[in-house]
Amino acid sequence: MEIYVVKKGDNIDSIAEEYGIPVQKIITDNQLVYPYRLAVGQSLVLDNGEKRPDRRRAVINGFAYPFISRYVLRESLPSMSGLAVFSYGFTPEGEVLPPALAVEELIALAYEFSAQPILTLTPLGADGKFNNNLISMVVNDEAATENLINNLLSIMLEKGYQGLDIDFEYIKAEDRDTFVGFVRTVTERMNEQGYTVSIDLAPKTSANQTGVLYEGKDYPALGAITDSVLVMTYEWGYTYSEPMAVAPINKVRQVLDYAVSEIPPEKINMGIPNYGYDWPLPYEKGVTKAKTIGNVEAVQLAVNYGVEIQYDEVAKTPYFNYISDGIRHEVWFEDARSLQAKMELVYEYGLRGISFWQIMQLLRINWLLIDYNFIVEKR
């Protein structure tokens, strides 16, 4: 497999002829849009069917909302170990709030492709909003905790889930130890019934890192209790941030350096984002709002505006600027080069695998790179 970076004067026919790969395969693999114009600096995956010789086994998970396109799901599941259905909420009394749409078809498709269906639990309240006060109320109430666990076990059995993912963010610092006890109880009860439990961890770089996103998460304790963890190594660049990479490799390394010092690497899944952001400029803190865009959409923007895609060697991430209606924009996204750089970290750190947030939009090169780099663990 080659990752080819488009040069000035290239076209799809010349690249296909040079590498001996059918034009239609390059078009399909890279989701090129008719009339198949290319942007200088665009990366293309040229797949000749070979796999890397040192390919290792890895767990590859991805999150999806119930309204995901079934076509996208079928294209993605062959390269996935687990499908995390997003998301279930709960009440202060421990009653479970299911997603608004039916989940049965997602679970059936996961089984069809030998992927583990996973129930994602979030502090989503009856008002449809995320609320960290819900976490505090439940973890400090034994009766609510017991009720929540019993309700979850009933749903797991009824729907056919095989795993539970606990995605609680902004845990209060004063609830840190109580939350550990809650997760321990949940994991013990789930494991007794043959279910796995994973937990999502904010991207900490030190044990005593301050901030509402970090203080409530005890890395070593939670890593020891659960079957696996997802380290959320993304959202450095986000909706209200200054323009920058969503998951710059230098920042990802800082998080992984700390994570593997507290948790066995074979229990760690590294998070990878499947999206980018488009910022209008000039950036004004607290005012400027970036638009979330798909990675295929980002490349097409560069093509349509005739601009060159740059590549930041520190962040190992592509970006570009364009002008629309007199407004300058800056776009950061993921491409084959940035994805491959992240996948190499699984080898370097000896990680369990990868979790994608999220798989709602198809990025075919992502799954080609997964299959090139890894033997995907199946249930």
Side-chain angles (χ1 to χ4, degrees):
M1 181 176 287
E2 295 272 353
I3 296 176
Y4 181 83
V5 180
V6 175
K7 305 184 299 294
K8 188 174 181 179
D10 281 341
N11 59 56
I12 193 68
D13 294 303
S14 65
I15 295 169
E17 183 177 358
E18 180 180 352
Y19 284 87
I21 296 177
V23 169
Q24 189 56 53
K25 179 168 176 56
I26 298 175
I27 290 170
T28 300
D29 286 351
N30 294 278
Q31 295 170 268
L32 303 182
V33 178
Y34 183 80
Y36 315 128
R37 292 177 296 154
L38 304 174
V40 174
Q42 174 183 354
S43 68
L44 299 172
V45 168
L46 305 179
D47 179 21
N48 62 7
E50 293 183 6
K51 313 297 182 187
R52 66 185 288 169
D54 61 339
R55 203 161 65 126
R56 53 163 286 184
R57 303 188 75 85
V59 173
I60 310 297
N61 292 336
F63 290 86
Y65 292 89
F67 58 87
I68 185 173
S69 156
R70 301 312 190 246
Y71 171 76
V72 171
L73 198 53
R74 285 184 174 276
E75 288 286 299
S76 307
L77 279 169
S79 302
M80 293 174 60
S81 308
L83 175 67
V85 178
F86 198 87
S87 73
Y88 286 73
F90 54 90
T91 69
E93 298 76 27
E95 298 299 319
V96 176
L97 304 172
L101 299 178
V103 300
E104 284 79 5
E105 190 176 359
L106 271 68
I107 295 170
L109 282 169
Y111 274 96
E112 181 180 334
F113 288 93
S114 299
Q116 181 189 39
I118 300 166
L119 186 158
T120 307
L121 184 68
T122 61
L124 188 68
D127 59 359
K129 297 179 180 179
F130 293 102
N131 183 354
N132 68 338
N133 289 319
L134 268 177
I135 301 171
S136 188
M137 286 186 276
V138 169
V139 302
N140 287 290
D141 184 333
E142 289 186 10
T145 295
E146 180 69 14
N147 192 38
L148 178 60
I149 293 171
N150 288 335
N151 286 325
L152 286 170
L153 285 168
S154 294
I155 293 170
M156 303 278 281
L157 180 62
E158 176 192 349
K159 301 295 185 183
Y161 286 110
Q162 296 180 326
L164 172 70
D165 181 64
I166 302 173
D167 184 8
F168 288 9
E169 298 183 43
Y170 299 102
I171 297 161
K172 297 177 181 180
E174 59 266 30
D175 290 330
R176 177 184 172 112
D177 294 338
T178 310
F179 178 65
V180 169
F182 167 80
V183 174
R184 179 182 289 109
T185 301
V186 172
T187 303
E188 289 173 352
R189 292 283 300 280
M190 289 288 162
N191 286 171
E192 286 173 1
Q193 301 301 317
Y195 303 122
T196 60
V197 176
S198 58
I199 189 162
D200 302 345
L201 300 177
K204 294 178 69 166
T205 56
S206 66
N208 299 314
Q209 188 169 348
T210 58
V212 293
L213 190 60
Y214 312 108
E215 293 177 21
K217 289 285 178 76
D218 186 331
Y219 262 49
L222 295 170
I225 292 166
T226 54
D227 299 298
S228 65
V229 305
L230 159 60
V231 179
M232 302 162 73
T233 51
Y234 43 81
E235 286 292 276
W236 301 93
Y238 61 96
T239 306
Y240 291 102
S241 78
E242 62 184 306
M244 66 178 295
V246 180
I249 202 80
N250 53 320
K251 298 294 186 182
V252 173
R253 282 185 175 279
Q254 290 176 14
V255 175
L256 291 178
D257 285 343
Y258 171 65
V260 298
S261 74
E262 301 281 23
I263 302 169
E266 61 272 15
K267 295 183 77 170
I268 298 174
N269 269 37
M270 173 182 60
I272 294 182
N274 180 34
Y275 56 93
Y277 286 109
D278 180 338
W279 284 266
L281 302 177
Y283 171 76
E284 184 179 350
K285 187 175 181 180
V287 176
T288 302
K289 182 179 180 180
K291 174 187 174 184
T292 305
I293 62 173
N295 297 304
V296 175
E297 179 187 358
V299 172
Q300 197 57 38
L301 269 177
V303 170
N304 291 343
Y305 284 94
V307 297
E308 181 175 347
I309 295 173
Q310 309 292 324
Y311 191 72
D312 187 301
E313 289 293 345
V314 175
K316 297 291 185 188
T317 308
Y319 69 97
F320 61 89
N321 295 93
Y322 72 97
I323 298 174
S324 176
D325 297 328
I327 298 174
R328 188 172 175 84
H329 292 251
E330 187 165 326
V331 175
W332 290 79
F333 65 105
E334 302 291 333
D335 72 355
R337 293 167 293 180
S338 65
L339 290 168
Q340 182 61 32
K342 293 175 177 64
M343 291 179 195
E344 291 290 351
L345 297 179
V346 176
Y347 283 79
E348 181 179 337
Y349 285 87
L351 304 180
R352 177 177 185 261
I354 290 168
S355 290
F356 289 100
W357 176 257
Q358 29 62 16
I359 63 164
M360 299 300 289
Q361 297 190 63
L362 178 63
L363 185 62
R364 190 170 283 116
I365 60 168
N366 178 60
W367 305 120
L368 291 172
L369 289 170
I370 287 291
D371 293 338
Y372 168 75
N373 284 288
F374 305 112
I375 302 168
V376 179
E377 295 274 8
K378 290 288 188 176
R379 63 175 179 84

